[in-house]
Amino acid sequence: MMNEQQQLMTAILKADCSFDIDEKGLAVYKRNLHANAMRALEISFPTVEQLLGAELFAYCVEQLLLTSPPGSGDWGTWGREFSALLSQLPALDDYPYVADMATLDYSLHVLNRAKDFSVELSSMSLLASHDLDHLRVVLNPAINLLVSDYPILDIYQANHVSAMKYLTRAKLKMAEGIGQQVLVYRPQFKAKVREHSIEEQYWFELISEGLSIGHALEKMNSQFHHNDSAFLFEEWLPKAIQENTISRIETI
C-alpha cells in the first residue's frame, strides 16, 4: 500500500491524482518542488539552460520531474537522466545537439563534486626498471571522455567564454558535419574540458582496455603510421600527470 509520503509525491507530480489532499497545501508543495528543481538543474546544466532559454528549459525540467523524480534530498545528485530525456523530446527537434551538451554539463558537475584525486607519482619509477610490455597506465576513474557528432566544446565555450569567437567556429563545424572529442578532467579544484585528437581518443581506448604500454604503442603506430604527427608517450605522460587524468603506472 502506498504510504503518505508516496501519496504526496504522486499528488505533486501528477495533476490527475485522486488522493484526498488539501489543494492549497498541495499547491505550495508543487511551487516549492518546481522552484527547487529549476534551481538544481540551472546549476547542473548551465549551458543547456542558456541554449534553450527560460521557458523551454522550465518545460524540460518539468518533464524530468514527471519521468525521473529525485530519489534523495540531495538535489545535486539529480539529473543523470536529463540527457536521455532531452534526446527524446519532440519539442527539441531544433536542438539536436542539446542532449550531448547536457552530458557535458553533467560530467563537469559530477567531477566538481567528486573527491580530490592525485596521481601516484611514486609509481612512475617503474618506467625506469621495467619493460613497457610489462607496464600499463591506469586512468583516473573520475575523468570522462565524450565523443559527439556536434562541436560540443565550441558550443560550450560560446556560452561561457567568448560568444562571437566560438559561436562562429561552432556554426562552421555544424555546417560541415564536424563533431568533437572532449576530455572532462580536474587537475586541481575545478573541473575543466578540452578537445583531444582522434589519436589521443584511440590511445585512451587502448589503455582503458588494460593493454600494456608497449602493446598500446604498437597499435597506435600501426593505426596512425601515415599521419604526420606521431603519438609520443614521453610527451603525453607529463601532460597526463599535470592534468590528473591518470591514476598510476602498474605492472602486468
Side-chain angles (χ1 to χ4, degrees):
M1 182 178 294
M2 188 177 294
N3 60 35
E4 291 183 2
Q5 185 176 6
Q6 290 174 318
Q7 290 180 12
L8 179 60
M9 284 300 295
T10 301
I12 291 172
L13 295 172
K14 297 182 179 179
D16 58 347
C17 177
S18 59
F19 299 123
D20 185 18
I21 298 176
D22 178 68
E23 289 295 327
K24 290 184 178 180
L26 184 60
V28 173
Y29 275 114
K30 283 186 176 182
R31 286 196 297 270
N32 288 340
L33 178 67
H34 283 259
N36 287 333
M38 280 292 293
R39 283 195 294 269
L41 293 199
E42 284 169 357
I43 293 171
S44 305
F45 299 92
T47 317
V48 174
E49 182 199 12
Q50 291 186 51
L51 289 170
L52 297 183
E55 185 175 345
L56 189 51
F57 185 74
Y59 165 76
C60 294
V61 173
E62 186 172 341
Q63 295 306 303
L64 187 64
L65 276 173
L66 290 171
T67 58
S68 303
S72 73
D74 183 359
W75 284 97
T77 63
W78 184 55
R80 185 179 299 276
E81 301 86 359
F82 200 38
S83 176
L85 171 73
L86 297 180
S87 69
Q88 299 168 3
L89 291 178
L92 301 183
D93 285 347
D94 291 336
Y95 302 85
Y97 46 83
V98 77
D100 286 356
M101 295 309 305
T103 300
L104 176 54
D105 271 348
Y106 195 70
S107 296
L108 287 162
H109 172 68
V110 169
L111 193 50
N112 275 323
R113 288 169 54 92
K115 294 180 180 179
D116 290 338
F117 187 93
S118 59
V119 182
E120 295 179 21
L121 293 175
S122 59
S123 69
M124 300 301 137
S125 62
L126 293 172
L127 293 166
S129 58
H130 291 69
D131 189 276
L132 293 182
D133 288 339
H134 300 291
L135 296 175
R136 65 184 168 200
V137 177
V138 179
L139 292 175
N140 179 344
I143 68 168
N144 208 342
L145 297 158
L146 307 179
V147 179
S148 175
D149 293 332
Y150 305 98
I152 55 175
L153 180 57
D154 289 338
I155 296 172
Y156 177 85
Q157 300 283 37
N159 285 273
H160 297 281
V161 181
S162 174
M164 187 60 65
K165 175 182 177 181
Y166 289 101
L167 185 59
T168 301
R169 288 187 187 181
K171 286 181 177 179
L172 288 173
K173 288 178 181 177
M174 289 188 68
E176 297 175 9
I178 298 174
Q180 283 181 309
Q181 302 87 218
V182 301
L183 169 68
V184 182
Y185 65 105
R186 198 178 85 183
Q188 291 181 326
F189 307 109
K190 183 176 176 59
K192 295 185 177 183
V193 58
R194 70 165 173 85
E195 186 173 12
H196 60 274
S197 64
I198 295 175
E199 290 86 353
E200 191 177 12
Q201 174 67 28
Y202 186 58
W203 171 253
F204 276 121
E205 292 173 359
L206 293 175
I207 58 179
S208 294
E209 294 172 5
L211 271 64
S212 72
I213 298 172
H215 190 191
L217 288 172
E218 287 178 8
K219 283 185 168 289
M220 289 291 294
N221 291 332
S222 174
Q223 182 75 10
F224 300 107
H225 68 280
H226 293 303
N227 288 27
D228 294 332
S229 56
F231 178 85
L232 299 175
F233 176 70
E234 59 270 26
E235 292 183 359
W236 176 84
L237 183 60
K239 184 178 180 181
I241 293 173
Q242 184 179 26
E243 292 182 336
N244 229 11
T245 57
I246 67 172
S247 173
R248 63 188 180 277
I249 302 290
E250 67 180 20
T251 57
I252 298 177

